[in-house]
Amino acid sequence: MKFHAFLIKYAEIGIKGKNRYLFEDALVSRIIQAMRKVDGEFDVVKTNGRIYVVAKTEFDYEEAVDALQHVFGIVWICPVVQLADEGFEVLKQRVVEYMANLYPEADYTFKVQSRRARKSYPVESQVMNADLGEAILKAFPNVRVDVHNPKIMLYVEVRDQGINVYSIMIPGAGGMPVGTAGKAMLLLSGGIDSPVAGYMISRRGVTLEAVYFHAPPYTSDRAKQKVVDLACQVAKYSGPIRLHVINFTDIQLYIYDQCPHDELTIIMRRYMMRIAEQIAENCGCLGLITGESIGQVASQTMHSLASTNEVCTLPVFRPVIGFDKQEIVEVAQKIGTFETSIQPFEDCCTIFVAKHPVTKPNRKVIRHSELKLAEKIEEMIKTCIETDEIIICK
Ligand code: ATP
Ligand code: MG
């Protein structure tokens, strides 16, 4: 079947007010960006509260659908056949051909839903429904009408430019278009959870930057490449991500030398948060995002979370906080990050983990231990922020 356009359906809830156009314009921009990667040329047009992606040339259908499925804000993607208005009798034939083409098994229930956006069209929508339905019934003996729960909803829309016919509805990514909700800094490790966390926040319209704490030579270039790969995979949804790679080795060694080993992880996590927050402030991010989930590991008990949280003033968004591991894995599989995340490259946390890390860190005790870093830590933080390596992931 040759489709000429895609009708884009987006969530109407919450966007009815006077800011609706901002949402729609952002969605149009995101769609234009996404379609640039597709083989073919397209116009993205907004008319009568609808968005159409109209093909100007031959195009790769699979690629086009895949690109649209990565745009947040889209709820349904409907491939449309556009027919010229050659009179109602011809329309009946064309609609029957359409059904024959798309559903050759010819064994289904259906309902026709017609709409006249162009009121001058001589046939009223109720009559269109009845007559088009009848033509289909006549053409395919095993097909039945079901007005309550049809397997196929056939939409026929008379517009100024012609007549649109569609019945396929492909689920979109949902959420809000990126660029409608400010920017946040994702703490991106090579694990399963943080890419999912970034995806979830970005899905609400938030633009992402990311920071990765790298500890060469304890963590390899391959581990860093894995994080870059993950950022690129998330960027398929979120748009380009500026990834800050921070060399964290000296700070980790300093903590290792000065502080009790069972507190290493928690103290290290607190410095990660502090540094991430400073970078976030420098580049206009309004919050931090982590992949933490209560109780998953020692550094994510309620006590540990309270301890890492207290060093931040920006809000910390933890979208998977109440998810079980399996639920996070399911999202990771859905968005295509899982296979990369499970590649076996050490992350900087595992190298310096104590055999028995504290699971209920006492904040007063931790603050006291951190005093031992007073001499050099501020200078070290400054250096590692100044020497960050920025990689654009897209
Ligand atoms: P993930 O699967 O996201 O790596 P995890 O289960 O390994 O999480 P932790 O290592 O305790 O959990 O990390 C908790 C969160 O801290 C991560 O989700 C991530 O947001 C952040 N984080 C951990 N290590 C790093 C790192 N090296 N660079 C950037 N952020 C990190
Ligand atoms: Mg990790």
Side-chain angles (χ1 to χ4, degrees), residues 226-273:
K226 175 180 168 184
V227 175
V228 172
D229 292 345
L230 287 170
C232 290
Q233 283 154 358
V234 175
K236 279 194 194 149
Y237 289 92
S238 67
I241 296 176
R242 263 160 51 100
L243 172 68
H244 302 254
V245 179
I246 294 289
N247 187 328
F248 201 49
T249 312
D250 289 348
I251 292 185
Q252 266 188 319
L253 290 173
Y254 189 42
I255 300 172
Y256 192 79
D257 282 344
Q258 303 293 320
C259 302
H261 285 188
D262 60 345
E263 295 169 7
L264 283 182
T265 307
I266 203 78
I267 293 175
M268 195 181 74
R269 301 267 314 119
R270 282 160 63 100
Y271 280 100
M272 281 187 187
M273 298 303 268

Side-chain angles (χ1 to χ4, degrees), residues 188-194 296 300 347-350:
L188 183 62
S189 66
I192 296 169
D193 310 324
S194 45
Q296 205 186 73
Q300 296 175 33
D347 73 27
C348 68
C349 312
T350 50

Side-chain angles (χ1 to χ4, degrees), residues 113-321:
Q113 174 105 33
S114 304
R115 224 183 78 167
R116 279 191 310 169
R118 171 156 68 85
K119 294 294 173 210
S120 64
Y121 193 72
V123 188
E124 276 182 25
S125 48
Q126 288 305 326
V127 180
M128 286 179 73
N129 289 343
D131 289 9
L132 292 171
E134 197 181 295
I136 292 168
L137 287 173
K138 231 189 245 166
F140 313 105
N142 291 334
V143 163
R144 297 159 312 281
V145 170
D146 181 345
V147 290
H148 299 296
N149 192 18
K151 192 163 160 237
I152 297 169
M153 266 304 272
L154 174 66
Y155 295 89
V156 179
E157 300 187 346
V158 180
R159 312 181 63 82
D160 289 334
Q161 303 82 359
I163 297 168
N164 286 343
V165 179
Y166 65 94
S167 61
I168 300 173
M169 293 180 65
I170 303 163
M176 306 286 264
V178 173
T180 54
K183 192 158 72 166
M185 179 65 69
L186 169 65
L187 282 86
L188 183 62
S189 66
I192 296 169
D193 310 324
S194 45
V196 169
Y199 162 87
M200 288 176 72
I201 295 297
S202 170
R203 189 167 178 269
R204 298 308 305 161
V206 177
T207 304
L208 299 182
E209 294 220 6
V211 54
Y212 166 57
F213 295 92
H214 186 39
Y218 302 97
T219 60
S220 63
D221 271 354
R222 200 58 201 83
K224 173 174 143 191
Q225 185 56 42
K226 175 180 168 184
V227 175
V228 172
D229 292 345
L230 287 170
C232 290
Q233 283 154 358
V234 175
K236 279 194 194 149
Y237 289 92
S238 67
I241 296 176
R242 263 160 51 100
L243 172 68
H244 302 254
V245 179
I246 294 289
N247 187 328
F248 201 49
T249 312
D250 289 348
I251 292 185
Q252 266 188 319
L253 290 173
Y254 189 42
I255 300 172
Y256 192 79
D257 282 344
Q258 303 293 320
C259 302
H261 285 188
D262 60 345
E263 295 169 7
L264 283 182
T265 307
I266 203 78
I267 293 175
M268 195 181 74
R269 301 267 314 119
R270 282 160 63 100
Y271 280 100
M272 281 187 187
M273 298 303 268
R274 288 180 174 110
I275 294 169
E277 176 161 284
Q278 284 194 28
I279 305 170
E281 306 251 32
N282 290 347
C283 51
C285 292
L286 300 172
L288 303 178
I289 306 166
T290 75
E292 288 160 313
S293 154
I294 296 173
Q296 205 186 73
V297 285
S299 61
Q300 296 175 33
T301 63
M302 287 293 278
H303 292 77
S304 302
L305 288 165
S307 176
T308 36
N309 201 64
E310 77 163 357
V311 301
C312 302
T313 52
L314 283 179
V316 181
F317 303 117
R318 301 177 172 90
V320 300
I321 195 73

